[in-house]
């Protein structure tokens, strides 16, 4: 579904209106960045990134996240490429733990998660390549022909959430607002079920795992 198709369909569902385009675009951006991709929300499988490489700076413990970083990916960690050309897993610890260890500079061993960057311990003594996967922010929609992952995999949820905002703040239609709220709840449940199925397909659990 493209942005133009999304707007046309939503205007139709809002009583065949033709004057809501700009307001739909504004509410869509808010819904995507705050409602759907907020902390604590279900971040679905389609926002998982491919493996991404970032690099350390010698003498600096901080390594910035990629620009589209949203949150950590479950069951994933940070790796660094050693001199032996092998990938080595870093151990996740708190920032205070890394600081209290007071380790001399050297190859990465620990990492902590900050607001906008990783903290690496020991402080890197060289340029090291780090690799990890994460949940990424989806692209925002601007042009009529634009689409993104949300409109590809969960258009029902996006339609319902944006429709709810339109009916609450713009058309002030209580009946439609209640219908969109119900549709949003149902769409979230469908997305949750599909996300769980995608996460667990072909997964083999070992002893002691849930």
């Amino acid at each position: 579904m493209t942005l133009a198709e999304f707007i046309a369909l939503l205007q139709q569902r809002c009583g065949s209106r033709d004057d809501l385009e700009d307001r739909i675009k504004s509410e869509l951006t808010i819904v995507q960045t705050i409602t759907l991709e907020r902390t604590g929300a279900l971040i679905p499988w389609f926002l998982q990134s491919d493996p991404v490489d970032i690099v350390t700076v010698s003498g600096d413990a901080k390594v910035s996240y990629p620009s589209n970083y949203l949150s950590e990916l479950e069951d994933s960690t940070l790796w660094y490429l050693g001199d032996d050309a092998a990938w080595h897993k870093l151990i996740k610890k708190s920032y205070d733990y890394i600081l209290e260890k007071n380790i001399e500079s050297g190859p990465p061993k620990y990492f902590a998660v900050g607001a906008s960057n990783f903290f690496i311990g020991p402080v890197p003594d060289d340029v090291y390549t780090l690799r990890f996967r994460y949940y990424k922010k989806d692209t925002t929609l601007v042009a009529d022909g634009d689409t993104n992952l949300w409109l590809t995999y969960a258009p029902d949820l996006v339609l319902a959430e944006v429709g709810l905002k339109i009916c609450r703040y713009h058309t002030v239609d209580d009946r439609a607002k209640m219908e969109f709220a119900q549709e949003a709840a149902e769409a979230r449940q469908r997305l949750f079920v599909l996300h769980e199925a995608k996460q667990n397909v072909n997964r083999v659990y070992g002893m002691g795992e849930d």
Side-chain angles (χ1 to χ4, degrees):
M1 178 179 286
T2 65
L3 176 59
E5 292 169 337
F6 178 88
I7 292 171
L9 179 56
L10 188 51
Q11 289 199 119
Q12 184 179 22
R13 291 188 178 183
C14 289
S16 298
R17 300 281 294 261
D18 62 2
D19 59 338
L20 299 173
E21 180 174 346
D22 289 341
R23 284 174 280 184
I24 288 174
K25 287 181 177 179
S26 296
E27 295 292 0
L28 174 58
T29 300
I30 293 172
V31 163
Q32 179 180 318
T33 58
I34 297 179
T35 304
L36 299 178
E37 296 179 356
R38 75 183 190 280
T39 301
L42 169 66
I43 307 300
W45 82 95
F46 55 77
L47 294 184
Q48 294 178 3
S49 75
D50 291 328
V52 170
D53 291 350
I54 53 180
V55 295
T56 66
V57 175
S58 181
D60 191 348
K62 295 186 294 185
V63 182
S64 297
Y65 300 140
S67 59
N68 66 344
Y69 177 88
L70 180 61
S71 66
E72 289 184 89
L73 181 62
E74 306 93 336
D75 301 326
S76 185
T77 190
L78 202 59
W79 302 75
Y80 90 92
L81 184 62
D83 292 337
D84 56 358
W87 290 98
H88 301 268
K89 182 185 293 187
L90 274 66
I91 302 170
K92 184 179 180 181
K93 294 290 185 180
S94 69
Y95 172 75
D96 288 344
Y97 177 92
I98 295 174
L99 195 63
E100 288 172 0
K101 293 291 285 186
N102 196 26
I103 310 169
E104 294 183 1
S105 62
K109 183 176 181 181
Y110 304 107
F111 76 98
V113 175
S116 58
N117 48 253
F118 291 116
F119 295 97
I120 306 298
V123 175
D125 62 347
D126 202 344
V127 175
Y128 294 95
T129 298
L130 308 177
R131 177 170 293 178
F132 75 123
R133 296 177 65 232
Y134 56 93
Y135 283 115
K136 60 186 179 181
K137 301 173 185 175
D138 202 2
T139 56
T140 53
L141 303 171
V142 178
D144 286 347
D146 288 351
T147 189
N148 65 8
L149 295 169
W150 283 108
L151 291 193
T152 300
Y153 293 101
D156 55 342
L157 176 58
V158 184
L159 274 165
E161 291 287 0
V162 177
L164 180 59
K165 299 286 189 185
I166 293 296
C167 291
R168 176 179 293 168
Y169 300 116
H170 304 284
T171 63
V172 194
D173 186 333
D174 288 338
R175 179 178 177 180
K177 182 177 70 174
M178 292 177 61
E179 292 174 351
F180 277 125
Q182 179 62 32
E183 290 174 7
E186 294 171 353
R188 282 186 181 278
Q189 180 60 27
R190 286 193 295 271
L191 182 62
F192 173 77
V193 171
L194 187 54
H195 174 77
E196 289 297 299
K198 293 283 188 180
Q199 291 293 90
N200 294 303
V201 65
N202 295 327
R203 184 171 181 176
V204 177
Y205 293 98
M207 293 292 293
E209 289 191 74
D210 294 332

